[in-house]
Amino acid sequence: MTTNRKPLISGNWKMYLNHFEAIQIIQTLSYQLDASDYEACDVSVHPPFTDIRSVQTVLESDRIPMILGAQHCHFEEKGAFTGEVSPGMLEKLNVKYVIVGHSERREIFGETDEHINAKVKAVFKHTMTPILCVGETIEEREEGNAQSKVRGQIQNGLKGVGKERVASMVVAYEPIWAIGTGMTATPGDAQEMCSFVRDCVKEIAGGTTADTIRIQYGGSVKPINAAELLKQPDIDGALVGGASLEADKFARIVKYRLH
Ligand code: 13P
């Protein structure tokens, strides 16, 4: 089994931080993180669209090796889609990772597995990497349906995507009941589900792909629980919401290996 998957710690800022605040937090983070942190793990930030150009400028002019990400995009190249942003527009801003199918997009904005599959393909077409989010509600977990929900999301999300592309992407397992609630999954439960995600990838794209793909855990990741979660063999990173809005907290999560 491959164990050299480089962890990816991602900050999903959601609809927080305007572009002034974004510049400030990136600068603060850049003082708190050093070369050894970037060597130990990849770090991405996913600001709101209105911040992306400002964050790009700071990262590039100060040569900060943080990776620029986005939270969402449309799957079409262009068109009459009021309010939407195309993958090509993100690529032009040097965005590298795009979160696709976050539960908030699925639950609040009605994104379907079909939309999400189209987005995964569109992101790849623009030489960016999708972070495909999957996860169950509390009811689905209590009814014993967590695995069937997640398996369906993975099968549909990856439909028609070649093995090499699947190997290069990221799946974020984010149980909906753990998002923004402070109710983190136990390291054991998170490991069990991330291992299950890897098994699903294996069924679809084979063992080598499953050994290579990176699987993040998301849902109330904090400095205090990051190390224990990231120690699990099938957890290759974290998708962090609330705690990524404060430089100190996010830096401590990135430095989880030192705790
Ligand atoms: P919290 O870390 O705030 O629970 O959010 C998790 C999340 O949704 C990241 O995408």
Side-chain angles (χ1 to χ4, degrees):
M1 199 177 100
T2 313
T3 50
N4 59 356
R5 297 182 293 263
K6 191 174 183 186
L8 171 63
I9 311 291
S10 304
N12 174 11
W13 295 358
K14 308 193 179 184
M15 200 171 72
Y16 295 99
L17 306 180
N18 62 42
H19 72 288
F20 294 115
E21 295 163 332
I23 292 170
Q24 211 167 30
I25 191 170
I26 292 294
Q27 283 171 334
T28 311
L29 269 175
S30 81
Y31 295 124
Q32 297 185 345
L33 301 178
D34 59 38
S36 69
D37 296 317
Y38 297 112
E39 226 165 85
C41 57
D42 290 333
V43 182
S44 69
V45 286
H46 301 253
F49 289 137
T50 52
D51 301 1
I52 289 183
R53 176 67 176 148
S54 307
V55 172
Q56 179 207 10
T57 306
V58 178
L59 294 181
E60 290 177 7
S61 59
D62 294 353
R63 293 199 170 77
I64 301 168
M66 226 176 281
I67 306 168
L68 186 54
Q71 300 174 17
H72 157 69
C73 69
H74 200 273
F75 45 84
E76 295 285 358
E77 305 270 332
K78 58 174 78 164
F81 300 107
T82 302
E84 289 295 309
V85 167
S86 77
M89 293 169 183
L90 298 177
E91 182 186 24
K92 275 268 182 254
L93 292 165
N94 276 347
V95 165
K96 300 295 180 206
Y97 288 99
V98 185
I99 298 171
V100 175
H102 191 281
S103 60
E104 286 150 16
R105 302 286 331 164
R106 294 178 189 259
E107 306 266 310
I108 305 171
F109 300 103
E111 285 193 14
T112 65
D113 279 338
E114 288 67 37
H115 293 137
I116 290 158
N117 179 241
K119 287 175 192 209
V120 166
K121 291 174 179 164
V123 167
F124 271 127
K125 198 165 161 201
H126 287 274
T127 66
M128 301 181 292
T129 302
I131 299 179
L132 171 66
C133 297
V134 299
E136 80 285 358
T137 62
I138 191 68
E139 293 79 18
E140 288 162 339
R141 168 155 285 256
E142 283 170 357
E143 288 159 11
N145 294 328
Q147 295 198 341
S148 60
K149 166 87 175 288
V150 165
R151 177 187 273 120
Q153 289 177 321
I154 293 173
Q155 285 173 340
N156 291 323
L158 301 183
K159 213 170 260 172
V161 181
K163 283 183 188 182
E164 270 180 35
R165 284 187 161 175
V166 173
S168 73
M169 65 186 281
V170 181
V171 173
Y173 167 65
E174 297 204 304
I176 296 172
W177 47 271
I179 296 178
T181 58
M183 275 173 50
T184 320
T186 64
D189 285 346
Q191 160 59 24
E192 191 186 329
M193 285 303 287
C194 289
S195 161
F196 176 74
V197 167
R198 205 176 296 287
D199 289 343
C200 293
V201 172
K202 190 173 173 183
E203 282 167 18
I204 298 166
T208 312
T209 304
D211 279 346
T212 311
I213 194 171
R214 290 190 288 185
I215 301 169
Q216 293 178 315
Y217 167 80
S220 299
V221 175
K222 311 273 179 237
I224 198 164
N225 57 30
E228 207 50 48
L229 288 161
L230 283 149
K231 214 188 279 172
Q232 305 302 315
D234 286 295
I235 301 183
D236 310 314
L239 185 52
V240 185
S244 72
L245 302 173
E246 292 172 55
D248 271 18
K249 285 190 182 163
F250 190 56
R252 275 160 59 210
I253 293 172
V254 171
K255 291 173 187 287
Y256 70 92
R257 69 192 186 285
L258 307 175
H259 298 294

